[in-house]
Amino acid sequence: GRATYVLSEIGSPAVGPLIEVLRDQNVTVQGASIYILGEIGEPAVKPLHALLDDENAYVRELARLCLEKMSK
């Protein structure tokens, strides 16, 4: 939606707050945050890569998918 577009357009400055949102226990919120990180692109590669070691399998898989998409 509109929020996704706006946050992805903000780019690098949005990465930190989106990483903080991942602490939310709501999987929908986590998924949206990871998706937006993937849309931001290059500035989010390092934080997404760090999520590959997250304790939550859902977070790990979404991060992997976003990184895979970005590498194509």
Side-chain angles (χ1 to χ4, degrees):
R2 177 92 175 122
T4 299
Y5 173 76
V6 170
L7 287 168
S8 65
E9 287 298 307
I10 290 172
S12 294
V15 172
L18 288 167
I19 295 297
E20 289 297 316
V21 170
L22 290 173
R23 296 177 189 198
D24 192 299
Q25 296 301 307
N26 183 311
V27 294
T28 303
V29 172
Q30 291 173 328
S33 183
I34 293 169
Y35 174 80
I36 295 167
L37 286 168
E39 292 297 306
I40 289 173
E42 183 63 33
V45 169
K46 189 173 181 179
L48 282 170
H49 199 275
L51 293 175
L52 296 175
D53 293 326
D54 195 272
E55 64 185 35
N56 183 319
Y58 177 73
V59 169
R60 289 192 310 266
E61 180 64 10
L62 285 178
R64 184 190 68 75
L65 291 170
C66 283
L67 287 166
E68 185 178 286
K69 178 183 172 189
M70 289 166 59
S71 70
K72 292 182 179 182

